[in-house]
Amino acid sequence: MSADEPQALEQEALAAIEQAADERALDEVRVRYLGKKGALSVQMKGLGKLPPEERKARGQVLNALRQKLEQAIAERRAALQAEALQKQLAAERVDVTLPARPERQGRVHPVSHVWEEVVEIFADLGFSVAEGPHIETDWYNFEALNIPPSHPARQEHDTFYFHANEQGERKLLRTHTSPVQIHTMESQQPPIRIIAPGRTFRCDSDQTHTPMFHQVEALVIDRDITMGHLKWTLEEFCKAFFETDNVKMRFRASHFPFTEPSMEVDINCTWEGGQVKVGEGDDWLEILGSGMVHPNVLKAGGLNPDEWQGFAFGIGIDRLAMLKYGIPDLRAFFDTDIRWLKHYGFTALQIPTLSGGLSA
Ligand code: PHE
């Protein structure tokens, strides 16, 4: 029996399929038997030369054979793919129980750590976390916050502007987290109790200022909210954050266009020996701005000021980190110096909790 006979062809092809060691070899086998010039196709072409009575029967045999071979190839392909996957999985296996190599041990940046501490404290007080975009429109960053185009407060913000778009609109990098107040009023009905930690940007750089820094905004809106609620919240926060009842806070009358009345809060500290320490000495470092939400801001957020009141504040997260962990220069925060990070950073398992200790 020669391979010209369907039966012999079948045996030969099936054996070749079985032996194909990878997908490429299998493809060669497919072409050899089923391709345009393949063995089976040659036999198909030969049908024309057969007498009509044999042609039909032979045609059926060959068609059945084609189906059988196609199926065998598909099965072999699936088996080869499964095998390859198993091999790859075995080769790429990672033993997650191995300890990290010493040079790969990362640290959690103090800003990230303090961010988590702040979230933990306010979550405990019943606040939820809100977010807003870094790239803002003039409306959200200024106008809705009661800072019209000619307002002098705009100069104080050292704003980074983008080029104007086709509509003549100049987007900007948000200079504070206060725009999240407006986004929140738009998306939520009062009572509102949120904090919004995030990045903020101003064209400013010295020992206590960096062009990118972090703030956490807080916004509370309800009926009958007073300065008393604001002051209590700030005191509770400071005690929890500095993990002592001894923090001295100074409430200073101030001005922000989006709050009325407004006050700034300083924390007492000392800078002796290049180290900052909280609760000692007679220096003060400003850590936050606060006040009662201005009626115009409530209106811009779609709320009726006769019905709703609120307080808001914005805290500098980086400042908090400097004070709590005695880090003298803010610029070093963003130098990505691994030695600095090893010294001031936290290990991954030092997750701040109120029960377990924030800085533990
Ligand atoms: N947005 C103000 C700032 O960046 C801080 C602030 C927030 C003041 C909320 C009052 C109320 O300086």
Side-chain angles (χ1 to χ4, degrees):
M1 202 159 49
S2 82
D4 294 343
E5 289 303 310
Q7 233 183 340
L9 184 69
E10 176 177 337
Q11 272 173 17
E12 193 189 293
L14 286 178
I17 290 168
E18 207 44 51
Q19 276 158 25
D22 53 31
E23 281 198 73
R24 184 202 260 210
L26 186 63
D27 228 37
E28 277 165 17
V29 174
R30 185 184 57 77
V31 172
R32 178 144 36 98
Y33 292 98
L34 301 181
K36 265 202 183 114
K37 292 182 185 151
L40 189 65
S41 312
V42 170
Q43 292 207 6
M44 290 277 206
K45 280 193 197 115
L47 284 176
K49 292 189 199 108
L50 291 180
E53 58 278 14
E54 272 176 54
R55 196 184 298 159
K56 190 170 171 212
R58 175 64 79 105
Q60 278 171 354
V61 169
L62 291 179
N63 267 328
L65 178 55
R66 171 174 282 276
Q67 273 177 20
K68 192 167 182 179
L69 293 183
E70 276 170 355
Q71 193 183 340
I73 288 173
E75 278 166 16
R76 181 73 188 139
R77 191 181 303 280
L80 284 171
Q81 281 170 349
E83 218 174 88
L85 181 64
Q86 285 311 320
K87 258 195 212 146
Q88 192 187 351
L89 288 177
E92 291 177 3
R93 212 176 76 188
V94 174
D95 183 351
V96 293
T97 64
L98 282 176
R101 273 178 266 159
E103 73 272 21
R104 296 276 170 81
Q105 277 169 8
R107 284 283 196 287
V108 176
H109 195 285
V111 168
S112 308
H113 190 82
V114 166
W115 177 313
E116 292 299 327
E117 290 184 48
V118 171
V119 169
E120 174 73 11
I121 294 169
F122 282 108
D124 190 59
L125 291 175
F127 286 71
S128 51
V129 174
E131 282 183 336
H134 293 162
I135 297 174
E136 272 296 5
T137 59
D138 192 86
W139 165 258
Y140 283 104
N141 198 79
F142 293 124
E143 276 209 56
L145 292 165
N146 200 29
I147 314 178
S150 57
H151 199 288
R154 292 203 175 207
Q155 264 90 65
E156 289 161 27
H157 277 237
D158 304 309
T159 312
F160 287 113
Y161 282 99
F162 289 87
H163 292 304
N165 63 16
E166 281 126 35
Q167 290 81 47
E169 181 193 33
R170 271 167 99 201
K171 293 243 171 102
L172 49 89
L173 289 174
R174 67 177 182 189
T175 55
H176 49 179
T177 43
S178 298
V180 186
Q181 289 189 28
I182 307 297
H183 289 295
T184 307
M185 287 185 229
E186 282 174 349
S187 64
Q188 254 171 265
Q189 283 303 307
I192 289 173
R193 219 186 283 153
I194 58 105
I195 56 163
R199 293 186 164 185
T200 46
F201 309 84
R202 288 184 205 179
C203 190
D204 203 352
S205 181
D206 62 34
Q207 197 177 348
T208 52
H209 296 87
T210 50
M212 188 281 295
F213 58 108
H214 301 81
Q215 285 189 338
V216 56
E217 192 81 7
L219 176 69
V220 169
I221 292 178
D222 206 334
R223 298 176 209 274
D224 305 323
I225 293 287
T226 70
M227 290 273 275
H229 297 116
L230 168 59
K231 200 166 170 233
W232 179 86
T233 308
L234 291 174
E235 281 168 356
E236 283 307 299
F237 168 73
C238 284
K239 278 193 263 175
F241 180 75
F242 291 107
E243 300 175 63
T244 161
D245 286 345
N246 284 337
V247 219
K248 271 193 244 146
M249 302 171 77
R250 185 166 75 174
F251 293 86
R252 246 183 320 108
S254 181
H255 173 264
F256 298 102
F258 32 93
T259 48
E260 181 59 36
S262 307
M263 54 188 190
E264 280 176 306
V265 178
D266 307 329
I267 290 279
N268 89 303
C269 65
T270 155
W271 292 83
E272 246 172 50
Q275 278 257 323
V276 291
K277 278 205 201 96
V278 179
E280 288 174 32
D282 42 21
D283 258 343
W284 297 92
L285 190 72
E286 179 202 320
I287 55 161
L288 64 90
S290 67
M292 303 305 291
V293 181
H294 195 290
N296 287 350
V297 176
L298 291 169
K299 275 189 229 158
L303 297 177
N304 178 359
D306 294 329
E307 202 179 332
W308 304 104
Q309 303 81 48
F311 67 74
F313 53 87
I315 316 181
I317 297 184
D318 321 76
R319 296 275 181 93
L320 288 182
M322 289 177 78
L323 280 171
K324 183 163 179 177
Y325 296 109
I327 312 174
D329 194 323
L330 192 57
R331 288 165 297 194
F333 275 57
F334 309 113
D335 281 348
T336 61
D337 183 336
I338 197 75
R339 294 161 304 177
W340 183 90
L341 199 56
K342 273 210 167 112
H343 183 77
Y344 288 113
F346 295 81
T347 69
L349 294 175
Q350 289 173 296
I351 298 162
T353 62
L354 285 176
S355 52
L358 291 174
S359 53

